[in-house]
Amino acid sequence: MAFAIQDLLLATIKYWLILEYGVEAFDKGIILRQIINWGITFVIIGGFFYIGKIINENPELIKEVQEDIKKDA
């Protein structure tokens, strides 16, 4: 979901820059999009680490999920 939001946000910024400043804004857009892209990437990586930390601190969560999968199958 985060990757889809990232792509949507970057496309929206590109669209806005072209409407606002024309094709000349393409260079500014590249820089701005790259900064936002890195920022969102760090947030996504942080989320993965946070989820990993939660899983490592609560191993019973894995057992609960495995039991739920067996019930649904």
Side-chain angles (χ1 to χ4, degrees):
M1 178 94 166
F3 291 116
I5 291 171
Q6 179 182 20
D7 288 340
L8 183 64
L9 179 64
L10 293 174
T12 303
I13 289 170
K14 183 190 247 185
Y15 174 75
W16 174 74
L17 284 171
I18 290 173
L19 282 180
E20 189 74 23
Y21 301 106
V23 180
E24 301 85 36
F26 191 73
D27 291 336
K28 293 178 188 176
I30 290 174
I31 295 168
L32 182 61
R33 285 178 31 230
Q34 193 63 32
I35 291 169
I36 291 171
N37 194 16
W38 279 105
I40 293 172
T41 300
F42 286 128
V43 169
I44 291 170
I45 290 171
F48 280 121
F49 281 117
Y50 180 71
I51 291 169
K53 179 182 173 188
I54 290 173
I55 290 172
N56 285 332
E57 291 176 353
N58 302 304
E60 66 274 0
L61 291 175
I62 295 173
K63 292 177 185 175
E64 289 178 24
V65 171
Q66 288 173 341
E67 290 174 4
D68 287 344
I69 291 173
K70 286 180 184 177
K71 288 179 187 176
D72 291 339

